[in-house]
């Protein structure tokens, strides 16, 4: 009887020890998992902050492009209004010739997004934000860049043809003008008129796309800011 009691006590003690060991292991695993989640959260916050900085840079450049293309559009409208008139060319018209050919490409800052892809897009814990980020960088940005490059007349064609019509093509300067080699001939040049009208369509499309693009990027910026605040709580 005494032997049975001793065995029962030993068995209970052994079971208790095993339970304590198991609990200790579970606690250690839980702490390890918590630490790992905290590390991943810190990395996620860091990438989101870098992405927000990149997006703010994109917004600034998109706004600059909108301002630039509005100036280009106005220059083209001046040409369309004044070129048919039976009046001599003017400084304002020569300045409009120069401004009308200006192009500015949108090159988004994708550094933070590329870092995220390298670490794994699933690092973004918020499903809807992750989908939104992919949609902006993989679809919206690429759509605008591709459509801007592939629609209408090519920039090289316009430059090559206009080089035969004007004394220079220095349209990167805000001070220079482009003087027609033969103003009367330019007024009657049907191809140049086609180019100018096509440029107006192209610039109008670019402005519409830029406005649409900036609204999408601003929305992503707000969503990222909200997520950063949530993660840092």
């Amino acid at each position: 009887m005494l032997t049975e009691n001793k065995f029962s006590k030993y068995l209970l003690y052994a079971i208790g020890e095993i339970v304590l060991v198991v609990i200790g292991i579970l606690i250690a695993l839980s702490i390890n998992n918590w630490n790992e989640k905290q590390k991943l959260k810190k990395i996620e916050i860091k990438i989101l902050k870098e992405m927000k900085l990149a997006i703010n840079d994109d917004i600034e450049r998109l706004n600059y492009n909108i301002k630039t293309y509005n100036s280009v559009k106005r220059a083209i409208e001046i040409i369309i209004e004044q070129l048919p008139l039976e009046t001599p060319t003017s400084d304002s018209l020569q300045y409009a010739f120069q401004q009308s050919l200006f192009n500015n490409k949108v090159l988004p800052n994708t550094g933070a997004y590329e870092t995220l892809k390298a670490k794994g897009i699933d690092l973004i814990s918020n499903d809807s934000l992750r989908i939104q980020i992919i949609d902006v960088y993989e679809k919206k940005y690429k759509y605008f860049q591709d459509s801007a490059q592939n629609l209408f007349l090519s920039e090289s064609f316009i430059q090559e043809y206009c080089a035969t019509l004007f004394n220079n093509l220095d349209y990167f300067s805000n001070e220079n003008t482009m003087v027609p080699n033969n103003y009367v001939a330019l007024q009657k040049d049907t191809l140049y008129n086609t180019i100018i009208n096509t440029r107006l369509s192209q610039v109008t499309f670019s402005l519409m796309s830029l406005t649409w693009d900036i609204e999408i990027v601003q929305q992503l910026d707000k969503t990222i800011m909200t997520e950063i605040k949530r993660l840092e709580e």
Side-chain angles (χ1 to χ4, degrees):
M1 192 73 176
L2 288 173
T3 303
E4 288 180 0
N5 287 337
K6 286 182 179 180
F7 178 76
S8 297
K9 288 180 180 180
Y10 174 77
L11 183 61
L12 288 172
Y13 174 78
I15 291 172
E17 286 291 311
I18 292 170
V19 170
L20 288 175
V21 170
V22 170
I23 291 172
I25 291 171
L26 291 174
I27 291 172
L29 287 172
S30 178
I31 292 172
N32 184 61
N33 288 338
W34 185 85
N35 287 335
E36 189 62 30
K37 286 180 180 179
Q38 289 301 111
K39 288 179 183 178
L40 291 174
K41 183 186 284 189
K42 286 180 180 179
I43 296 171
E44 181 180 4
I45 291 171
K46 182 175 182 293
I47 288 178
L48 285 175
K49 285 183 175 179
E50 289 174 355
M51 189 169 288
K52 190 176 188 312
L53 287 174
I55 287 171
N56 289 337
D57 183 49
D58 288 341
I59 290 171
E60 187 176 330
R61 283 188 286 178
L62 286 166
N63 277 319
Y64 173 77
N65 282 0
I66 289 173
K67 182 180 178 181
T68 299
Y69 276 119
N70 273 317
S71 297
V72 173
K73 184 180 180 183
R74 181 55 191 148
I76 294 170
E77 288 171 343
I78 288 172
I79 294 171
I80 292 173
E81 290 168 6
Q82 295 187 18
L83 192 60
L85 302 178
E86 294 182 1
T87 55
T89 181
S90 62
D91 290 342
S92 61
L93 185 55
Q94 290 171 7
Y95 181 72
F97 288 141
Q98 182 240 20
Q99 287 286 293
S100 68
L101 298 182
F102 188 81
N103 273 314
N104 203 18
K105 295 179 181 178
V106 177
L107 298 173
N109 186 342
T110 60
Y113 179 65
E114 292 302 326
T115 299
L116 174 61
K117 287 201 297 183
K119 290 183 178 294
I121 199 76
D122 288 336
L123 183 65
I124 303 301
S125 54
N126 185 317
D127 292 342
S128 61
L129 175 57
R130 184 170 61 250
I131 292 169
Q132 190 178 0
I133 289 171
I134 294 171
D135 184 59
V136 168
Y137 281 92
E138 296 293 342
K139 295 180 182 178
K140 300 298 191 303
Y141 271 152
K142 287 185 177 180
Y143 167 78
F144 178 74
Q145 287 178 287
D146 292 344
S147 59
Q149 290 174 3
N150 296 330
L151 287 179
F152 310 110
L153 300 174
S154 71
E155 187 176 355
S156 60
F157 171 78
I158 294 173
Q159 288 178 354
E160 288 173 8
Y161 188 72
C162 286
T164 67
L165 304 176
F166 295 91
N167 66 333
N168 70 79
L169 288 181
D170 188 12
Y171 51 86
F172 292 102
S173 170
N174 288 326
E175 299 177 357
N176 290 341
T177 58
M178 285 171 51
V179 181
N181 296 326
N182 186 326
Y183 184 61
V184 175
L186 182 67
Q187 289 177 301
K188 298 175 182 178
D189 194 309
T190 55
L191 180 53
Y192 178 74
N193 277 277
T194 300
I195 288 173
I196 285 300
N197 281 282
T198 303
R199 280 286 295 153
L200 181 60
S201 298
Q202 186 176 20
V203 170
T204 301
F205 171 81
S206 294
L207 278 168
M208 183 178 62
S209 297
L210 283 166
T211 303
W212 175 61
D213 217 31
I214 202 169
E215 288 175 359
I216 292 169
V217 177
Q218 284 174 333
Q219 184 57 52
L220 177 58
D221 180 58
K222 290 178 182 177
T223 308
I224 288 176
M225 187 69 256
T226 301
E227 183 66 6
I228 290 172
K229 288 180 179 178
R230 186 187 72 81
L231 291 170
E232 289 183 330
E233 288 177 350

